[in-house]
Amino acid sequence: MKGLAVVFAVFLLATLSMALGRRGPAPASAITFRDVTPRAGVHFVHNNGAFGKKFLPETLGPGVAFIDYDNDGWPDIFLVNGTDWPGHAQKHTTAKLYHNNHDGTFTDVTHKAGLDVEIYGLGVAVGDYDNDGFDDLFVTALGQSRLFHNNGNGTFTDVTQKAGLSGPRELSTSAAWIDFDRDGRLDLVVGNYVQWTPETDLYCTLDGKNKSYCTPESYKGTSARLWHNRGDGTFEDVTQKAGLGDPTSKTMGIVIFDYDNDGWPDLLFSNDTQPNKLYRNNGNGTFSEKGVIAGIAFSEDGVARAGMGVDAADYDHSGYPSVMITNFSNQMLSLYHNEGKGLFVDEAPQSAVGRATLLTLGFGCFFFDYDLDGWPDIFIANGHIDPEIQKVQANVKYAMPPHLFRNLGKGKFEEVTGLMGRAFNAPRVGRGAAYADINNDGRLDLLLSTNGGSAYLFRNEAQPGAANRSVRLKLIGTRSNRDGIGAVARVTVGGDTQTQMLRSGSSYLSASELILTFGLAQHDKADSIELRWPSGQIDHLANVAAGQTVTLTEGKGQTSAQPYAK
């Protein structure tokens, strides 16, 4: 009888494990995010230029990015910055580039790299637009956005005018690299917010006495821009020709994803007080807007919400990418589940995610597998836009803790923010957010910016013996773009398949590393990997061991592998 009891107990535990989606043994409390910012040598304070006039752009930035600019296999950090307003200059502030020293510390190399340029920067996109093997930087701004070419020797050159990108002076927000015509060269999509200048700034008030930051409803919208890469170092504006010229848009976030799995990358713009726009790629250089038909334009009650950040992922292993969009306080997160027939259904109102995000104002957001159990989790950076908000809404704060939701499988999430450590859970005025494995241990770390404040670097730490396993994929395109942006990987482990697209952009004003990380739970290998490149080339691998970063070259399969650092 005792033996039967043991067998039954083992069976019960196994059944429970399967019911929870084959999760690894590590509970949420076994992982914490440690604030390593001071120790890492990242000393940065965002300058939004505020001097009392409450100009609209002051509330927006800044973005953050991970970029391995010197190709040493260790992600470096780029932090966007603003400037003082003309006539009110008090300090010289620029973006910052921090080199990863491979020992947990970073060195400020901004001046050496030629990036100490004063612009009112907001967002950043990372991609190798000329396929020379070195990732370049596009920085969005109020006024003239800038393209910085990576020279391959640790320096960058401003090639904005040479590339044909000079001229438009807009309030540009998020940007992303996309090979929309699959010609092997990265094109550029740039989101624009509203038509605003200091001269056209309007007076708004929350309490009837003092000026407050105006909502975007006070200003006219403006179209996003799509720049086609000619292949000679220059770009042409194909916005109208491609069907993206909607002057009513007020874009804050951009995500590139193939929502209908037809092999052509589609575009989703999260818009602030305007309907979100979903542009289906027709495969002939044009796009068709499908937001309303797809059910992604409005809330359940038909309201255009204040869309901020955006990301997409196959969070339930359905094979189709679903979408999340962060919204204003009192609106909750949008969690649009992809039904697989060109239709999305917002699952947030019936979920823990919706309830937890009702009062917070989210900006940067992304799906990432922080506990490496094979199920994409959710991170959201929160913070309000008006320091005086609590005077008119007592239950809404200016500084807010972030959200971290653990994916329980079967479309369920639980909030675990409070388990990640006191520093992680501290209230901040969060904006941009990105992830990367900063110390090559196979776990994903976090970078977070705050408006008018510091940047924060959080290292993902697991208790000894509690860590799940992972495998990471670094892509090198040959017929496709060099970074492999737009490639879709399907990794099968223990009979279950995860799907990820390598993408530029998403989150809010920010760029995460251009490497795919797949959590394997306690499995010691991935049974199979299928990689579908933008060119249509399909490469296969089998029995890929955990604990390494595998380099896949288009048409050649695995060309190298690097074990994780100890």
Side-chain angles (χ1 to χ4, degrees):
M1 294 295 292
K2 184 177 180 181
L4 286 175
V6 171
V7 170
F8 178 75
V10 171
F11 171 78
L12 187 62
L13 287 172
T15 303
L16 180 61
S17 177
M18 292 178 66
L20 291 174
R22 300 187 181 89
R23 302 185 64 87
S29 59
I31 297 172
T32 57
F33 281 95
R34 181 184 298 276
D35 182 358
V36 296
T37 315
R39 178 176 177 273
V42 176
H43 306 292
F44 173 86
V45 177
H46 173 238
N47 178 18
N48 60 19
F51 65 101
K53 287 291 187 179
K54 294 200 171 181
F55 287 159
L56 180 65
E58 296 169 1
T59 66
L60 301 180
V64 300
F66 286 106
I67 172 174
D68 183 7
Y69 77 95
D70 56 354
N71 284 351
D72 65 354
W74 295 76
D76 311 298
I77 290 173
F78 182 79
L79 302 171
V80 182
N81 211 347
T83 62
D84 288 336
W85 293 104
H88 297 273
Q90 296 179 338
K91 51 187 175 295
H92 175 80
T93 51
T94 73
K96 291 291 184 181
L97 179 66
Y98 289 94
H99 177 259
N100 191 327
N101 298 325
H102 311 179
D103 59 1
T105 68
F106 292 77
T107 299
D108 184 346
V109 294
T110 312
H111 178 74
K112 179 181 177 182
L115 291 172
D116 52 347
V117 180
E118 266 199 309
I119 58 174
Y120 199 99
L122 291 168
V124 56
V126 175
D128 183 3
Y129 76 89
D130 58 353
N131 289 332
D132 66 352
F134 291 90
D135 281 330
D136 311 296
L137 287 166
F138 182 78
V139 179
T140 65
L142 169 64
Q144 180 63 66
S145 297
R146 306 290 187 93
L147 176 62
F148 294 97
H149 177 259
N150 188 335
N151 301 317
N153 60 2
T155 68
F156 291 79
T157 299
D158 185 340
V159 295
T160 310
Q161 185 170 359
K162 180 181 177 182
L165 293 169
S166 61
R169 301 185 66 82
E170 296 163 315
L171 178 49
S172 298
T173 51
S174 294
W177 296 99
I178 173 177
D179 183 5
F180 76 93
D181 55 357
R182 291 169 46 183
D183 64 356
R185 299 186 293 266
L186 288 178
D187 312 298
L188 180 65
V189 59
V190 182
N192 292 309
Y193 193 32
V194 296
Q195 298 179 36
W196 181 92
T197 65
E199 294 73 28
T200 59
D201 185 69
L202 300 174
Y203 180 88
C204 298
T205 180
L206 287 173
D207 58 11
K209 299 177 182 178
N210 303 297
K211 185 183 180 186
S212 62
Y213 290 108
C214 294
T215 73
E217 294 168 303
S218 305
Y219 299 97
K220 292 181 179 179
T222 183
S223 172
R225 287 187 185 268
L226 179 63
W227 297 92
H228 178 252
N229 188 336
R230 293 190 178 106
D232 60 359
T234 68
F235 294 80
E236 61 176 327
D237 187 344
V238 295
T239 309
Q240 299 299 327
K241 185 165 64 174
L244 298 180
D246 180 1
T248 67
S249 289
K250 299 177 181 180
T251 298
M252 294 287 257
I254 299 172
V255 70
I256 298 162
F257 70 136
D258 184 5
Y259 79 94
D260 53 1
N261 286 350
D262 67 351
W264 292 89
D266 310 303
L267 284 166
L268 174 61
F269 298 134
S270 57
N271 286 322
D272 191 357
T273 70
Q274 285 291 312
N276 301 316
K277 301 292 183 180
L278 174 61
Y279 288 97
R280 181 181 183 272
N281 192 329
N282 299 321
N284 60 3
T286 69
F287 292 80
S288 297
E289 210 286 301
K290 302 290 186 181
V292 174
I293 296 174
I296 211 164
F298 302 100
S299 65
E300 277 190 328
D301 49 1
V303 175
R305 289 181 279 193
M308 305 295 181
V310 60
D311 197 16
D314 178 15
Y315 70 79
D316 61 346
H317 296 185
S318 67
Y320 287 90
S322 297
V323 170
M324 72 167 154
I325 298 174
T326 54
N327 296 305
F328 214 75
S329 52
N330 299 307
Q331 291 184 338
M332 81 170 53
L333 178 84
S334 304
L335 187 60
Y336 292 109
H337 181 261
N338 191 332
E339 300 292 300
K341 300 177 181 178
L343 180 67
F344 292 80
V345 175
D346 190 356
E347 301 285 351
Q350 288 78 44
S351 75
V353 170
R355 293 188 294 272
T357 58
L358 181 58
L359 295 180
T360 50
L361 200 173
F363 280 91
C365 64
F366 45 76
F367 292 98
F368 77 135
D369 188 1
Y370 84 92
D371 56 359
L372 303 178
D373 65 353
W375 296 86
D377 310 298
I378 291 175
F379 175 80
I380 303 170
N382 296 313
H384 210 276
I385 63 169
D386 199 311
E388 309 297 320
I389 185 61
Q390 205 166 358
K391 292 182 178 179
V392 292
Q393 295 187 49
N395 57 352
V396 177
K397 306 294 193 298
Y398 178 51
M400 304 173 176
H403 288 302
L404 181 63
F405 295 100
R406 188 187 191 210
N407 190 334
L408 302 177
K410 298 185 178 180
K412 304 294 184 182
F413 293 86
E414 66 173 348
E415 182 157 23
V416 294
T417 312
L419 301 176
M420 296 298 114
R422 187 171 63 180
F424 181 82
N425 199 38
R428 298 181 179 88
V429 186
R431 290 296 185 265
Y435 63 82
D437 179 5
I438 62 171
N439 54 346
N440 280 337
D441 65 354
R443 295 191 293 271
L444 294 175
D445 311 296
L446 295 176
L447 180 62
L448 170 68
S449 72
T450 61
N451 183 265
S454 302
Y456 295 89
L457 183 63
F458 292 99
R459 190 176 64 208
N460 185 331
E461 296 184 348
Q463 293 178 8
N468 283 325
R469 301 184 177 102
S470 67
V471 64
R472 288 161 50 80
L473 306 181
K474 168 70 175 176
L475 309 184
I476 298 178
T478 52
R479 291 167 55 203
S480 302
N481 67 85
R482 174 76 181 215
D483 283 323
I485 290 172
V488 176
R490 292 181 172 86
V491 174
T492 300
V493 184
D496 196 21
T497 300
Q498 307 172 46
T499 305
Q500 290 188 48
M501 172 188 278
L502 184 69
R503 62 170 58 91
S504 165
S506 70
S507 188
Y508 171 75
L509 307 179
S510 299
S512 294
E513 66 175 354
L514 293 175
I515 293 180
L516 296 173
T517 298
F518 286 89
L520 305 181
Q522 289 294 294
H523 296 276
D524 59 7
K525 67 177 180 178
D527 300 325
S528 66
I529 297 176
E530 176 191 284
L531 190 67
R532 186 181 298 269
W533 297 85
S535 67
Q537 167 74 29
I538 301 176
D539 291 328
H540 294 275
L541 295 178
N543 298 319
V544 180
Q548 59 179 338
T549 300
V550 175
T551 299
L552 296 173
T553 301
E554 185 176 12
K556 298 180 180 179
Q558 179 175 328
T559 50
S560 67
Q562 182 66 41
Y564 295 157
K566 300 297 184 182

